[in-house]
Amino acid sequence: MHAVLAPSFTSADFWAIAPVTFLVFCGLAVLLLDAFFPRREHEWLAYLSIASLLLTGALASWLQGCASREALSGMLLTDPLSHFAVLTLLVAAALSCISSLGYLREMRADRAEYYGLLLLCTAGAMLMVQAGDLVMIFLGLETMSIALYVLVAMRPDNRLSTEASLKYFLLGAFTSALLLFGMALVYGGSGGQTNLGEILATLQSSSAGTSPVVLIAGAILVLLGFLFKVAVVPFHMWAPDVYLGAPTNVTAFMATGVKAAAFVVLLRLVGLSSAMTVFRGHLADVLWVLAALSMTVGNLVALQQTSVKRMLAYSSITHAGYMLVGVLTFLTSSGELATRGTGSVLFYLVAYVLMNLGAFGVVALLGREGEEGDNLQCFKGLSRNRPLVALAMAVLMFSLAGIPPSAGFMGKFYLFAAGLKAGYVWLVVLALLNSAISVFYYLRVVMLMYMQQPEGEYRKAETCQVCASCGLALTSLGVVLLGILPGGFLHYALESARSLLP
Amino acid sequence: MNYLPSILSTVVFLPLLGTVLVVALPSREKNLLRAVALLTSLATFAASLNLWFAFDPAASGFQAVERFWWLWVFGVQVDYHLGVDGISLLLVLLTTFITPVVILSSWHAIEDKVKGYHACFLVLETAMLGTFLALDMVLFYIFWEAMLLPMYFIIGVWGGPRRLYATIKFVLFTMAGSVLMLAALIWLAISFKQFTGNPTLTFNLLEFYATDFLRPGTAQSLMFLAFTLAFAIKVPMFPFHTWLPDAHVEAPTAGSVILAGVLLKMGTYGLLRFAIPLFPHALHQFAPAICILALVGIVYGALVAMVQPDLKKLVAYSSVSHLGFVVLGLFVLNDFGLRGAIYQMLNHGLSTGLLFLAVGVVYERRHTRQIEDFGGLARVMPMFAVGFMIATLSSIGLPGLNGFWGEFPILLGAFAARPVFGIIAATGVILGAVYMLWMFRRVMFGPLTRPENEVLRDLSPREIAVFVPMIVVMFWMGLFPKPFFDVMEKSVAEVLARHEQRLGQAEVPRLEIQAVLDSLAPARKN
């Protein structure tokens, strides 16, 4: 059982890590290119980064066909779920890169490090979602988080940005400590296993040498760590401040890519926990309460925000609550229904990623030097000054509110259908009531844009915003498309979810 | 005449096509935009006439059914499934008829953001038609919710001074009801799946109709209440009506007309299509309570309307009263009541629509809606006075005009169910005459007290073109109601038969409206 495997590196392993490696190299290359060819403007690096993200995606998809399901002796999983998560992450990173194009220069925060770090952060998140081993999860998480701490502080002249970075760092370090401790306990309790598959096998055979109490304590701590990362009430306190302080494009990536990655890992861990029959029922109860709290508290606080960034932060807490309904379905049911729960979470994640990237993209578009562009007042009369931006924002807000035909509605529909099927009637009713409440603050933005006159002169941006607008168009069209013809994509999400079941 | 191929999809999506056209045109060309919107809605009306002529009243079930596989993943099957029966046919015609009238009525009233305005109305028309024709419950829900967005913009962008408050109230009320309906409809589908053992979750309304799958019990009651709440808010039934006066007062004239004419019917249509046929036991249990709420609405709406100083508010509260009649007719559960209720839906759409148009006419000229600002208008605006008078009398339910054929059968149905219901409802008719005629006297007759009113122009040719079609239809429906009642006969009979069969006891008194109609028809000729 304690046999140390001889490190054998096969060509299959090489191909499995090729996309991540490529991305890391690109990240380093971007940093070095800036050192060797310094220029005042760094937009060329942005294009380079977008291109490398897209290439990584292409590489990953190309290799997906020929790869086995695991590599590096089970450290890395290359199953469809990993692939799904990797693509989501890359899309999120590419879109937040696009939205940063004008924004960073407008904010006088245009630095080459941003692009390099973003690529490294994405690489870390990729490792995390592909991880098949607790150690790998931790490594990926740390790579991602450390890059993020710096990214959040990208505007050193801004007090909020520095504060946010410090907060995020302190809480992140705390979370890492919990996580590591939990992993150690799991290692001890499972008889010396860190590989997820082997832990599962141990749990199912419940052989000698395992200690359920230690194992459960470890599982609780590990899960706690990830609940922190996805910002579920009551582990959400950091999110609004960090989201507000970080540069908007970084916020966009944090709220979407990072959260999606954390959710995917959470799904893997919950899948593992569901094998512990003693623990499963209790975990379900706790998650039920957390889901109910997240959606309600997030919503009620979001109602009172005057900053769109904070509002989106709280609303993302609410959305995490909705997604927990799917996670719960996955946890407590078996067979096809469990897959549907996971699949609906995955679909919702993508919808959520698109909607939030778009919404933060709009905030970034409105940002001007010395003015963040997230105040509700900035949206007054936007339909006159920037009709297309206002239209895109309206579409995104309707989708976030879950009004059909939009990706947000379809996501909720499948999520709640699965939840109801699994018997969570009251939780689903609560979630639905919450989405009715959320209409108020999402539509407030639309109301300001369309139904009020602009205040004062509209300040034109100094930089070109064509690219950022294209990114916005992509997200809002994607949201509508996923709302009208979600069939193929839902199918893909379901197929990806299938790989999660043992 | 046979149905044209995929006629329902054509009717539903023709306005959307017009929207694309409107969006593509330059915003400067205001008259062109208006003309395109008008022509699109007229074309939709023409297409919907094919439905009317091809409809076979003798056939049972739904006609011109179109069904395509739309989404089939996650073990959930959602279809694109449309069909028309005697109930939806009339409401579809009402919608396609009112929309061009409304677009014509706002030709000069809207000068700001003309493109967005017409795009909103055309999208709204698609959503409304889709809601009436959808036979898949998820598709229905999608159209139902999609209706909210254009209306939100119509009130919020082109509305009056307190439009922001009114529009958010409208949206929140509607959403609160409809999210619960979403939960209930998924639950319903799950119950169906469990009953039949289907591998997939389906939302096919026809299958739900055909199978008696719900056992009496709490689950059924909760689902019934969730559906009923969603529709009751939309109707709006007392005590969920408070959004209506706000929305009506703030909406632009055309918005009010569509809101009163069609959107409110969504609620009563939903009750008739879903709440009544699907939950027989819960219906049996709650129907008396709902009837009582409807009666309260009838009397309360009338009393509140009586004291309104604002014309539009008065008409808005009269809607609460009139829709109380519709709900009463639906929930007394007999042939008279149901057919009267459907007829009353159409009547209310026409008469209240025309009343709102009339209020719009004076508002465009005087920029006030206070009754005390008027008086003696009949002297300066004789043609308008005639039109307004007809609308008023139709709303009161004068025989010879359409209103009578709604209220009268409903009252007969109510008496048949419980005489006391009929008695209370009849006071509503009297109160209706009181507040409408009193309002009419104060606005139109008496001396011209205000100098501003002396120079008011009478109806312009465009306004006449708006009024005349409405009035013609009112007379037509008032003098020859039989074709309309014939169209809905079979569908209504099916609803009742299914209800009786599922309850397993013949508690529902059946009365034949046809006999009364036939006996009255020769009398009219003499």
Side-chain angles (χ1 to χ4, degrees):
Chain A
M1 193 172 286
H2 290 277
V4 178
L5 292 167
S8 59
F9 191 78
T10 62
S11 68
D13 294 339
F14 174 77
W15 290 117
I17 58 166
V20 180
T21 322
F22 175 73
L23 194 62
V24 171
F25 273 118
C26 290
L28 295 176
V30 165
L31 288 176
L32 285 177
L33 278 174
D34 178 60
F36 286 111
F37 308 100
R39 290 196 200 167
R40 227 157 47 79
E41 280 159 12
H42 300 103
E43 285 191 352
W44 65 293
L45 292 177
Y47 294 122
L48 208 63
S49 309
I50 295 167
S52 50
L53 286 166
L54 295 180
L55 272 178
T56 313
L59 192 61
S61 305
W62 180 54
L63 290 174
Q64 186 63 22
C66 50
S68 57
R69 283 171 70 98
E70 34 172 78
L72 293 172
S73 357
M75 289 292 253
L76 222 58
L77 299 175
T78 44
D79 52 6
L81 177 66
S82 303
H83 185 56
F84 185 92
V86 164
L87 288 188
T88 312
L89 265 171
L90 291 171
V91 167
L95 282 170
S96 50
C97 231
I98 291 178
S99 83
S100 71
L101 268 166
Y103 172 78
L104 283 180
R105 232 160 13 107
E106 194 76 37
M107 285 294 163
R108 307 285 182 268
D110 183 19
R111 294 152 166 267
E113 291 88 342
Y114 167 75
Y115 300 105
L117 284 171
L118 184 69
L119 295 188
L120 292 177
C121 179
T122 314
M126 271 171 75
L127 275 182
M128 190 167 94
V129 296
Q130 291 182 304
D133 191 292
L134 290 177
V135 176
M136 194 53 118
I137 291 181
F138 188 74
L139 278 177
L141 180 75
E142 284 304 291
T143 315
M144 178 186 84
S145 302
I146 291 173
L148 268 181
Y149 301 145
V150 186
L151 282 173
V152 172
M154 214 64 205
R155 294 160 58 199
D157 54 327
N158 186 309
R159 202 174 50 79
L160 281 178
S161 171
T162 320
E163 182 194 323
S165 173
L166 192 63
K167 264 187 191 157
Y168 193 43
F169 172 67
L170 285 177
L171 277 168
F174 182 62
T175 313
S176 297
L178 280 183
L179 207 60
L180 209 51
F181 186 41
M183 285 174 178
L185 289 179
V186 170
Y187 179 75
S190 66
Q193 308 287 357
T194 55
N195 188 293
L196 298 183
E198 282 168 22
I199 294 174
L200 187 67
T202 318
L203 286 175
Q204 280 164 343
S205 64
S206 65
S207 56
T210 58
S211 159
V213 180
V214 179
L215 202 57
I216 287 174
I220 291 175
L221 288 176
V222 174
L223 285 172
L224 211 66
F226 277 93
L227 290 174
F228 251 111
K229 283 285 165 195
V230 297
V232 167
V233 176
F235 315 115
H236 67 290
M237 300 292 184
W238 59 274
D241 290 341
V242 175
Y243 284 16
L244 179 71
T248 309
N249 47 350
V250 177
T251 314
F253 185 64
M254 275 171 75
T256 58
V258 174
K259 197 156 181 160
F263 245 106
V264 170
V265 180
L266 189 66
L267 278 174
R268 285 199 202 278
L269 295 174
V270 165
L272 209 55
S273 315
S274 70
M276 288 190 263
T277 31
V278 206
F279 181 44
R280 186 165 73 173
H282 297 289
L283 181 62
D285 291 344
V286 173
L287 284 183
W288 197 103
V289 174
L290 293 185
L293 275 178
S294 291
M295 42 184 125
T296 316
V297 173
N299 235 340
L300 294 182
V301 185
L303 282 176
Q304 300 155 15
Q305 302 305 317
T306 52
S307 154
V308 175
K309 268 166 104 175
R310 277 188 93 89
M311 178 199 100
L312 288 172
Y314 281 108
S315 96
S316 83
I317 294 169
T318 309
H319 287 283
Y322 299 151
M323 284 188 267
L324 279 186
V325 178
V327 176
L328 264 173
T329 310
F330 170 54
L331 176 64
T332 52
S333 31
S334 56
E336 192 58 21
L337 185 55
T339 316
R340 283 176 203 158
T342 329
S344 55
V345 173
L346 291 182
F347 181 80
Y348 199 83
L349 265 179
V350 172
Y352 166 85
V353 163
L354 285 180
M355 297 183 293
N356 273 284
L357 276 171
F360 281 114
V362 171
V363 177
L365 262 182
L366 298 181
R368 303 282 178 265
E369 196 194 352
E371 191 189 347
E372 208 22 76
D374 66 331
N375 197 302
L376 274 178
Q377 299 306 315
C378 298
F379 286 82
K380 263 194 178 174
L382 196 67
S383 66
R384 287 199 187 265
N385 298 325
R386 300 291 299 269
L388 288 177
V389 174
L391 183 66
M393 187 67 172
V395 169
L396 294 165
M397 288 292 127
F398 288 136
S399 178
L400 278 166
I403 298 176
S406 67
F409 168 73
M410 280 295 165
K412 273 185 188 152
F413 175 71
Y414 285 103
L415 208 52
F416 297 157
L420 276 175
K421 195 88 214 305
Y424 294 105
V425 177
W426 294 113
L427 191 62
V428 169
V429 168
L430 186 69
L432 284 167
L433 285 178
N434 267 308
S435 35
I437 295 173
S438 73
V439 168
F440 180 80
Y441 56 83
Y442 291 127
L443 286 204
R444 181 162 54 194
V445 178
V446 180
M447 193 170 83
L448 287 169
M449 292 191 304
Y450 279 90
M451 301 166 196
Q452 297 209 338
Q453 296 302 319
E455 257 177 20
E457 279 283 290
Y458 174 69
R459 213 169 127 194
K460 275 223 166 88
E462 291 167 22
T463 48
C464 167
Q465 294 188 323
V466 176
C467 278
S469 308
C470 286
L472 196 55
L474 278 180
T475 51
S476 44
L477 284 179
V479 161
V480 174
L481 196 68
L482 281 187
I484 297 173
L485 294 170
F489 201 77
L490 277 165
H491 199 70
Y492 177 42
L494 194 66
E495 286 310 309
S496 311
R498 240 175 254 293
S499 62
L500 197 57
L501 287 180
Chain B
M1 196 154 116
N2 288 324
Y3 288 110
L4 298 172
S6 46
I7 176 70
L8 295 184
S9 295
T10 313
V11 170
V12 171
F13 289 105
L14 208 57
L16 204 62
L17 200 71
T19 316
V20 175
L21 216 60
V22 163
V23 170
L25 288 171
S27 356
R28 296 184 310 278
E29 303 285 341
K30 292 186 180 175
N31 276 332
L32 184 63
L33 287 170
R34 291 171 181 133
V36 167
L38 182 64
L39 285 177
T40 313
S41 56
L42 283 173
T44 314
F45 179 56
S48 70
L49 283 181
N50 173 252
L51 285 180
W52 171 253
F53 289 117
F55 188 81
D56 176 10
S60 60
F62 287 84
Q63 306 183 18
V65 174
E66 288 169 36
R67 184 170 183 189
F68 306 103
W69 169 91
W70 179 30
L71 289 173
W72 198 340
V73 272
F74 282 70
V76 176
Q77 186 190 350
V78 179
D79 288 333
Y80 174 80
H81 191 181
L82 302 179
V84 66
D85 72 346
I87 301 166
S88 50
L89 171 70
L90 294 171
L91 291 165
V92 164
L93 285 169
L94 176 74
T95 311
T96 54
F97 173 71
I98 284 193
T99 309
V101 169
V102 152
I103 288 175
L104 191 62
S105 81
S106 51
W107 201 273
H108 292 305
I110 303 295
E111 284 294 335
D112 186 31
K113 299 184 188 164
V114 179
K115 183 195 263 192
Y117 181 81
H118 289 99
C120 276
F121 267 100
L122 292 175
V123 172
L124 184 63
E125 190 179 9
T126 288
M128 293 187 299
L129 293 169
T131 313
F132 284 135
L133 293 172
L135 291 185
D136 185 284
M137 294 184 78
V138 176
L139 189 67
F140 167 83
Y141 185 81
I142 288 174
F143 279 123
W144 169 274
E145 289 280 282
M147 224 159 47
L148 208 59
L149 301 182
M151 203 59 212
Y152 168 74
F153 282 109
I154 288 170
I155 301 177
V157 178
W158 294 275
R162 284 177 72 236
R163 61 184 193 276
L164 298 185
Y165 170 75
T167 169
I168 203 78
K169 194 168 174 184
F170 164 68
V171 170
L172 283 182
F173 265 70
T174 317
M175 277 303 279
S178 53
V179 290
L180 289 180
M181 178 169 79
L182 181 61
L185 78 83
I186 297 174
W187 196 2
L188 184 73
I190 290 174
S191 321
F192 180 74
K193 182 182 156 175
Q194 279 163 354
F195 179 81
T196 56
N198 273 350
T200 44
L201 200 61
T202 51
F203 294 89
N204 185 343
L205 187 63
L206 300 185
E207 284 176 15
F208 291 174
Y209 277 174
T211 326
D212 183 13
F213 62 99
L214 278 179
R215 299 275 71 80
T218 326
Q220 192 187 130
S221 301
L222 284 174
M223 282 187 248
F224 172 78
L225 288 178
F227 271 93
T228 307
L229 179 71
F231 298 131
I233 289 174
K234 198 83 172 183
V235 168
M237 257 169 76
F238 180 87
F240 311 109
H241 65 282
T242 59
W243 63 269
L244 183 76
D246 287 311
H248 266 314
V249 169
E250 300 308 324
T253 302
S256 293
V257 176
I258 282 283
L259 188 61
V262 186
L263 286 194
L264 303 189
K265 268 88 235 173
M266 297 293 170
T268 44
Y269 172 77
L271 288 171
L272 182 52
R273 180 66 85 217
F274 301 102
I276 290 179
L278 292 176
F279 313 102
H281 304 94
L283 175 68
H284 191 65
Q285 187 184 350
F286 289 105
I290 295 173
C291 284
I292 289 169
L293 280 182
L295 289 170
V296 174
I298 292 173
V299 177
Y300 170 86
L303 290 176
V304 178
M306 207 179 292
V307 296
Q308 292 305 317
D310 182 305
L311 275 173
K312 230 176 171 182
K313 254 199 168 139
L314 187 147
V315 182
Y317 276 107
S318 83
S319 292
V320 176
S321 182
H322 284 299
L323 284 156
F325 274 105
V326 178
V327 175
L328 180 68
L330 292 178
F331 282 87
V332 293
L333 289 173
N334 51 39
D335 188 42
F336 273 117
L338 283 183
R339 285 212 255 173
I342 299 168
Y343 212 83
Q344 180 73 353
M345 289 188 213
L346 307 179
N347 292 337
H348 178 261
L350 292 168
S351 58
T352 310
L354 190 56
L355 281 174
F356 275 121
L357 285 171
V359 174
V361 164
V362 289
Y363 183 74
E364 256 180 61
R365 287 165 172 66
R366 283 279 277 109
H367 296 285
T368 171
R369 288 186 302 252
Q370 299 300 313
I371 296 175
E372 59 177 18
D373 288 337
F374 300 106
L377 292 192
R379 278 165 218 252
V380 284
M381 304 171 75
M383 275 195 293
F384 172 72
V386 173
F388 196 13
M389 188 75 208
I390 293 170
T392 308
L393 294 177
S394 149
S395 173
I396 295 170
L398 188 80
L401 282 164
N402 57 344
F404 175 73
W405 291 109
E407 282 178 356
F408 180 57
I410 291 175
L411 286 178
L412 285 182
F415 272 111
R418 282 185 201 193
V420 62
F421 286 177
I423 293 167
I424 299 174
T427 62
V429 180
I430 300 168
L431 289 172
V434 171
Y435 64 79
M436 288 309 288
L437 291 177
W438 189 37
M439 177 275 290
F440 193 79
R441 185 185 63 88
R442 282 182 291 165
V443 173
M444 304 308 284
F445 298 140
L448 264 171
T449 45
R450 309 270 168 143
E452 305 95 301
N453 290 341
E454 285 169 13
V455 290
L456 289 184
R457 278 177 296 108
D458 204 354
L459 296 182
S460 68
R462 178 184 59 84
E463 285 163 339
I464 292 173
V466 171
F467 273 56
V468 166
M470 301 278 274
I471 291 173
V472 168
V473 176
M474 281 177 180
F475 274 108
W476 183 23
M477 288 182 66
L479 295 173
F480 308 104
K482 196 165 177 301
F484 296 91
F485 281 115
D486 284 347
V487 158
M488 58 177 104
E489 180 184 9
K490 193 86 183 175
S491 305
V492 167
E494 276 171 25
V495 171
L496 289 172
R498 206 179 298 121
H499 180 68
E500 280 175 24
Q501 182 208 336
R502 291 201 182 168
L503 268 185
Q505 53 204 44
E507 285 195 16
V508 187
R510 297 289 307 272
L511 287 170
E512 280 306 320
I513 194 170
Q514 216 56 49
V516 180
L517 279 173
D518 291 341
S519 67
L520 282 171
R524 187 181 303 284
K525 270 176 207 151
N526 293 339

